[in-house]
């Protein structure tokens, strides 16, 4: 079943309508006791995924995909998906911050 939205505003309003009641019902929660090592491990993982190695890999991936698209060996749709994926990966922090601000958290 496929849903078609007329505009991005309608999609955004639908997402916020679904997320807002559940986000308002939850009180801000701090890290539980003993979660320090887990938080540290996740911080390390985030640093690795968004650090110099990830940036270099993304640049190589976009360059390779761009070259393949220009030479006609790769479908444009797949190439654009790779580029959008890189934007989502590196913009994840801003995306989550925007969602939390819209939810009032």
């Amino acid at each position: 079943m496929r849903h078609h939205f007329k505009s991005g505003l309608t999609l955004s309003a639908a997402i916020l309508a679904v997320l807002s009641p559940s986000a308002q019902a939850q009180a801000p929660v701090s890290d539980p006791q003993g979660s320090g090592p887990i938080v540290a491990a996740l911080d390390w993982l985030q640093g690795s995924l968004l650090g110099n190695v990830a940036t270099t890999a993304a640049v190589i991936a976009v360059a390779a995909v761009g070259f393949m698209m220009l030479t006609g060996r790769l479908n444009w749709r797949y190439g654009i998906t790779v580029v959008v994926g890189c934007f989502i990966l590196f913009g994840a922090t801003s995306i989550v911050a925007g969602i939390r601000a819209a939810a009032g958290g």
Side-chain angles (χ1 to χ4, degrees), residues 5 7 15-16 31 37-38 45-46 72 79 96 98:
F5 291 98
S7 69
I15 291 172
L16 287 177
D31 294 333
I38 296 170
L45 183 63
Q46 179 184 4
V96 171

Side-chain angles (χ1 to χ4, degrees), residues 52-81:
N52 292 335
V53 173
T55 303
T56 304
V59 168
I60 292 170
V62 170
V65 166
F67 180 73
M68 290 174 67
M69 287 169 52
L70 288 174
T71 58
R73 289 185 271 164
L74 185 67
N75 184 0
W76 281 84
R77 186 179 225 177
Y78 177 73
I80 291 172
T81 302

